[in-house]
Amino acid sequence: MMKKLLYLTMLVSFIANSQTNVYNYGFASPTATMIGADAWVRTNQSTSPSTTTLWTVATYTAVTVSATVSATPFQNQTYTTGQTCPIPTGGNNSFALVNYTSTTSTAAAGATISNWLISPLVNVQNGDVVTFYSRIGKYSATGAASYADNLELRMSTNGAFTADPTGGPAGLGDYTNLLVEINPNLDLSSYPVAWTQYSYTVSGLTGPTDVKFGFRYYVTDAGLNGSNSDIIGLDSFSVDRPAASAQSFFANNFSIQPNPVSDVFSVTAKNNVAIENIKVMDINGRIVSESNNTNGSDAMQVNIGELNAGVYFVKVQSELGVGTSKIIKK
């Protein structure tokens, strides 16, 4: 009985913790790579926009002792060891950075900053979880900023035909879906001073959809003489598909037979899309069989005759996304 209970616990744990990463970007590449090969786009639609202040990849140095710092750019600051980036890549504490010099206006009443960083195309579906980390560029024991900042995460569902923002700070282009907003009231205590994760669960789509995500540094009464705007960082952007969503995606898009299986099972796409890859995993998540589809067909056969009897998971990669299903080997 104890062996059965342990087996069931491991099975439930695998299902609960399994998820598929759809897209992730850690802002570890140089700025030129981010806007080149990695296909991120920058556009500054601020009042009197600066042509040189755009989102960039920046770094700072972590130290082992406390340091007194002011709200100068991250890369000119030192921090305590607890202020490192959420997911460092190698030894490089890298992240995306933008600040108050987005506008060159010196008006006494300030200006409006609307400085955008736009992702490449990402294919998402309902239930996908979008996450990212952000913080202001001031280290303060009291948690208060010197000047208020604001960040929006927006989404366009128009895919490759997405119109980017134009026409000044009010322009949104096709990014009319506001997913997350940090500090909409522009107060001095709501934007975190430590790296903090934010998330949004995708909903309202009719099916798998090519989208673009737009990070908008949006601050009113901003700039050199404004009452608001300082400097913010962005890191570890990720889109993940939870296991339950992957299982639902499989049920809606694929069939598997026979199940239970002795030797060979077949996976067929219900919508005639090409199946690219099939992995078979044990209950610990280890890949025990992998097959690639070289002819672009909508069906594949997999032989698992050599595997021991038990429960396995079948992970199917297709043009539309990834689905997961359970299979029993007799």
Side-chain angles (χ1 to χ4, degrees), residues 275-276 292-297:
I275 296 174
E276 300 170 352
N292 294 309
N293 192 1
T294 58
N295 58 17
S297 65

Side-chain angles (χ1 to χ4, degrees), residues 24-247:
N24 69 83
Y25 198 78
F27 302 101
S29 301
T31 301
T33 303
M34 178 179 74
I35 62 176
D38 295 342
W40 286 74
V41 172
R42 304 177 297 173
T43 179
N44 189 355
Q45 295 298 314
S46 305
T47 305
S48 302
S50 167
T51 58
T52 57
T53 301
L54 298 166
W55 285 85
T56 58
V57 175
T59 61
Y60 66 78
T61 303
V63 296
T64 57
V65 296
S66 296
T68 301
V69 296
S70 59
T72 52
F74 281 85
Q75 63 264 45
N76 294 332
Q77 295 182 355
T78 53
Y79 291 85
T80 61
T81 51
Q83 295 298 318
T84 55
C85 293
I87 306 177
T89 302
N92 185 19
N93 269 332
S94 57
F95 52 94
L97 171 80
V98 71
N99 66 24
Y100 71 96
T101 61
S102 297
T103 175
T104 60
S105 173
T106 57
T112 298
I113 291 176
S114 182
N115 203 340
W116 294 75
L117 179 63
I118 297 170
S119 78
L121 284 175
V122 183
N123 187 268
V124 302
Q125 62 188 43
N126 293 334
D128 287 353
V129 179
V130 182
T131 58
F132 65 94
Y133 286 79
S134 189
R135 59 161 292 177
I136 57 172
K138 178 181 176 64
Y139 179 75
S140 171
T142 62
S146 298
Y147 301 94
D149 276 316
N150 174 276
L151 178 66
E152 297 177 346
L153 173 62
R154 290 180 170 270
M155 182 176 72
S156 165
T157 58
N158 208 21
F161 301 98
T162 292
D164 287 340
T166 58
L172 298 176
D174 286 338
Y175 295 88
T176 55
N177 300 290
L178 178 61
L179 309 185
V180 178
E181 185 171 14
I182 306 174
N183 196 21
N185 296 323
L186 290 174
D187 61 60
L188 297 179
S189 59
S190 293
Y191 213 115
V193 298
W195 288 109
T196 301
Q197 188 181 55
Y198 295 86
S199 67
Y200 174 82
T201 301
V202 176
S203 63
L205 303 178
T206 58
T209 304
D210 283 338
V211 306
K212 287 187 175 184
F213 295 96
F215 286 97
R216 183 193 191 198
Y217 181 48
Y218 180 63
V219 190
T220 56
D221 194 7
L224 183 64
N225 294 325
S227 300
N228 301 316
S229 75
D230 196 351
I231 184 169
I232 62 169
L234 168 69
D235 203 5
S236 303
F237 174 66
S238 185
V239 181
D240 295 282
R241 187 160 299 153
S245 179
Q247 292 167 0

